[in-house]
Amino acid sequence: MTGAMFSILTVNIGAASRERAEDMLRWLSGRPEDVFILTETSAGTGTAYLLDQFRQAGYAVVHTPDASGDRGAALVSRTAVMETLVMAGVSLPGRVAAAVLDTSPVMAVLGMYVPSRDRSADKTEKKQAFVASLLAVLDELPASLRNRLVVGGDYNVIARTHRPLHPGFLPFEFGLLETLEAYGLVDAHERCSPGAQPYSWIGRRGDGYRYDYFHVGRELVERITGCSYLHETRDQRLTDHAAVALELGLDAVAQLTVGDLVDDEMTLF
């Protein structure tokens, strides 16, 4: 039996400017999710504003800024964090954010932003090295942790079964999704809507790509109650990606005492 609904949302914020970050904060403040995975964070003022506002309101924030100014990922949680996970060995540590949460059963959430690439050798090598290092770290996790792990974010890859199957993707990119599945991490949307083909990013020529995902460890799969793509973030021009929301039924969730997120002011309960 499950007694508490637990939800996670992932959204690519597109290295938001300060102005767009304020709009994104207003949107996020109206969302019910317990955890936000923010991808394509940056060293700019927009990311700093968003994360500072969440911290001041009492949320737990997991984020490792990259010294080079590379894009990254952040985990923002109103659920209590038991432990921040350091994913030692990942080639670009700022592109992952992970924590063990105070839930029953205890679970971990890992947000990631996989590098994009073009046809250049350096960007291809950067992406391939990140994917290989991430999968190696996941392979080394204790089975007890990996089985209660939720992975989400902007993976910047499509599946071999994607419709349409856009040309130009390399074997290692298809291999990211296939290896996650081999590790027992189940595609949450496919679990909820078998055979459906959502798009989370639309190219300039109108081509749809499914880049944003949630994968759930085998001990949590039966607790999935919903997974949906939210296109209002694109429609409102908050970002060029759809958000993805995942719902799980848990036994209990320990929540932090957080304040309301209202523009530049925080009103604590």
Side-chain angles (χ1 to χ4, degrees):
M1 295 290 292
T2 56
M5 187 59 66
F6 177 82
S7 54
I8 313 174
L9 181 138
T10 181
V11 61
N12 179 311
I13 66 171
S17 65
R18 170 59 185 269
E19 181 180 7
R20 190 156 53 82
E22 291 177 359
D23 293 337
M24 179 64 77
L25 184 67
R26 291 189 192 97
W27 185 79
L28 289 170
S29 70
R31 295 298 309 174
E33 284 79 20
D34 302 283
V35 175
F36 299 131
I37 296 171
L38 307 180
T39 61
E40 202 173 350
T41 58
S42 74
T45 57
T47 293
Y49 169 80
L50 272 173
L51 299 186
D52 286 347
Q53 294 294 77
F54 279 114
R55 289 189 187 99
Q56 290 174 31
Y59 288 72
V61 175
V62 179
H63 178 239
T64 304
D66 190 282
S68 68
D70 191 22
R71 304 291 167 86
L75 194 69
V76 177
S77 178
R78 61 165 56 98
T79 299
V81 170
M82 297 177 65
E83 178 185 2
T84 297
L85 292 177
V86 178
M87 308 299 287
V90 175
S91 64
L92 300 167
R95 286 179 175 263
V96 295
V100 177
L101 303 182
D102 190 0
T103 59
S104 178
V106 172
M107 60 176 288
V109 176
L110 186 155
M112 66 177 181
Y113 178 47
V114 177
S116 58
R117 70 171 181 88
D118 51 27
R119 296 182 180 180
S120 64
D122 58 339
K123 288 190 176 180
T124 300
E125 291 169 1
K126 176 182 178 180
K127 185 174 187 178
Q128 187 166 13
F130 177 83
V131 169
S133 64
L134 174 72
L135 292 174
V137 168
L138 291 177
D139 187 42
E140 293 172 358
L141 289 179
S144 58
L145 179 59
R146 193 167 61 232
N147 290 343
R148 293 182 180 177
L149 176 67
V150 173
V151 180
D154 179 355
Y155 298 6
N156 265 315
V157 300
I158 62 174
R160 294 183 198 269
T161 55
H162 193 280
R163 302 188 303 275
L165 184 58
H166 300 292
F169 286 88
L170 298 176
F172 80 87
E173 293 170 308
F174 296 129
L176 170 57
L177 297 175
E178 292 163 356
T179 305
L180 291 176
E181 293 277 351
Y183 288 167
L185 293 158
V186 173
D187 183 331
H189 187 269
E190 180 65 21
R191 172 81 177 188
C192 293
S193 305
Q197 180 58 85
Y199 301 131
S200 62
W201 185 79
I202 309 295
R204 294 176 181 174
R205 296 180 296 181
D207 299 326
Y209 296 75
R210 185 183 178 209
Y211 278 160
D212 302 84
Y213 300 81
F214 275 112
H215 282 78
V216 176
R218 55 170 52 96
E219 289 188 21
L220 299 175
V221 169
E222 296 301 324
R223 295 176 180 266
I224 298 174
T225 60
C227 185
S228 56
Y229 285 76
L230 310 177
H231 293 279
E232 58 200 83
T233 50
R234 293 180 52 249
D235 296 339
Q236 297 177 26
R237 298 188 177 183
L238 301 174
T239 174
D240 57 357
H241 282 249
V244 191
L246 172 69
E247 295 180 348
L248 301 170
L250 301 182
D251 300 327
V253 178
Q255 299 288 38
L256 298 171
T257 300
V258 300
D260 292 331
L261 293 162
V262 181
D263 295 334
D264 293 327
E265 297 180 0
M266 299 298 162
T267 305
L268 294 178
F269 293 119

